């Protein structure tokens, strides 16, 4: 007899998936976050509240959640003692270096980051990027963005009035298309195509929302994949 499965919701990105009722822990199929199911079963009357004036970040090395002051520029993991960069980076010129921060990472139209590996919180790309980019949160791409290399993101955003094209399938947690995206996408969670959005490419996703006025051209495969 197959074990009973229950729906669980990822505490990081909100993705819902089925897990065995007796399972101790799991990993989110959308964003990859590891979490303990017993933590999700705790009564909501006793939440693990985040202190005011702080933000919560996850250690790159051991995965421990840390509450740090909202204005902090760096911290040290209380579990593994690893240094964690929390700074925001705004690039407006040519830079060749690696980045690893829980802060935001923005490349202005005049910016060029090359020969790099960047692991960041949220990213906004308006300029040129050459290398490997991982945005743990949202990755916002503008028309002026020029990416050569590889990228992945928890959430892809194409703002209204902007367009982006990519030749290879893009793997994402979720996506919101308000502008134009010409690419095939593999989305673990839900892709939302806003009323101003245009999506040209094949879509595989856990869910699809197409608002009135939106255009979607390509094959669709929607629903949870085993």
């Amino acid at each position: 007899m197959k074990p009973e499965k229950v729906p669980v919701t990822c505490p990081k990105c909100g993705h819902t998936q089925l897990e065995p009722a007796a399972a101790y822990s799991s990993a989110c199929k959308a964003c990859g976050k590891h979490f303990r199911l017993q933590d999700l079963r705790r009564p909501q009357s006793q939440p693990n509240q985040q202190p005011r004036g702080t933000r919560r970040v996850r250690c790159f090395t051991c995965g421990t959640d840390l509450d740090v002051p909202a204005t902090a520029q760096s911290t040290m993991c209380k579990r593994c003692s690893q240094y964690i960069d929390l700074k925001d980076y705004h690039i407006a010129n040519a830079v060749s270096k690696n980045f690893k921060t829980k802060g935001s990472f923005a490349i202005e139209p005049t910016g060029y980051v090359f020969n790099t590996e960047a692991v960041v919180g949220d990213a906004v790309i308006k300029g040129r990027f050459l290398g490997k980019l991982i945005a743990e949160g949202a990755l916002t791409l503008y028309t002026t963005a020029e990416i050569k290399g590889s990228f992945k993101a928890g959430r892809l955003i194409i703002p209204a009035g902007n367009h982006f094209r990519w030749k290879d399938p893009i793997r994402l947690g979720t996506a919101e298309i308000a502008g134009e995206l010409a690419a095939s996408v593999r989305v673990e969670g839900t892709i939302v195509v806003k009323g101003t959005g245009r999506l040209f490419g094949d879509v595989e996703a856990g869910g699809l929302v197409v608002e009135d006025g939106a255009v979607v051209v390509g094959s669709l495969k929607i629903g949870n994949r085993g």
Side-chain angles (χ1 to χ4, degrees):
M1 186 175 68
K2 293 184 177 180
E4 178 187 0
K5 291 190 174 183
V6 296
V8 296
T9 301
C10 173
K12 179 179 180 182
C13 71
H15 173 69
T16 300
Q17 62 194 46
L18 294 177
E19 296 292 344
Y24 175 77
S25 64
S26 183
C28 178
K29 296 179 180 179
C31 70
K33 171 186 170 65
H34 289 271
F35 54 86
R36 294 188 299 177
L37 272 64
Q38 67 179 21
D39 292 341
L40 303 181
R41 299 186 184 115
R42 290 174 180 170
Q44 294 189 2
S45 59
Q46 301 178 0
N48 182 18
Q49 294 185 346
Q50 182 176 338
R52 296 186 64 179
T54 67
R55 59 170 168 157
R56 182 160 295 174
V57 299
R58 180 175 292 269
C59 176
F60 286 113
T61 304
C62 70
T64 298
D65 287 330
L66 306 166
D67 291 324
V68 300
T71 58
Q73 297 296 295
S74 65
T75 190
M76 184 171 290
C77 179
K78 61 185 179 181
R79 181 177 181 183
C80 69
S81 300
Q82 287 294 313
Y83 170 84
I84 303 172
D85 188 2
L86 304 174
K87 292 191 293 291
D88 296 334
Y89 291 89
H90 296 272
I91 312 299
N93 50 18
V95 176
S96 178
K97 61 175 287 187
N98 292 333
F99 296 86
K100 193 171 186 179
T101 180
K102 292 294 181 176
S104 63
F105 178 76
I107 303 179
E108 300 299 333
T110 56
Y112 179 27
V113 179
F114 59 99
N115 297 336
T116 186
E117 181 172 329
V119 182
V120 302
D122 293 329
V124 177
I125 310 299
K126 298 179 180 179
R128 300 165 64 194
F129 181 91
L130 172 61
K132 179 180 180 181
L133 173 62
I134 299 175
E136 295 181 331
L139 170 61
T140 304
L141 297 176
Y142 286 79
T143 298
T144 51
E146 180 181 338
I147 299 178
K148 293 183 179 180
S150 65
F151 68 90
K152 62 185 298 187
R155 180 177 180 81
L156 176 66
I157 299 174
I158 308 295
N162 290 270
H163 60 81
F164 182 77
R165 289 169 172 76
W166 193 253
K167 64 178 181 178
D168 299 318
I170 305 175
R171 297 186 179 275
L172 305 160
T174 62
E176 179 181 302
I177 311 302
E180 179 181 307
L181 176 64
S184 295
V185 292
R186 309 289 183 264
V187 182
E188 290 289 345
T190 299
I191 180 170
V192 178
V193 186
K194 308 295 271 185
T196 56
R198 297 161 62 88
L199 175 58
F200 300 96
D202 298 335
V203 176
E204 290 186 18
L208 174 65
V209 176
V210 180
E211 296 185 354
D212 289 343
V215 175
V216 178
V217 178
S219 66
L220 303 177
K221 184 178 180 181
I222 308 301
N224 292 326
R225 301 182 292 280

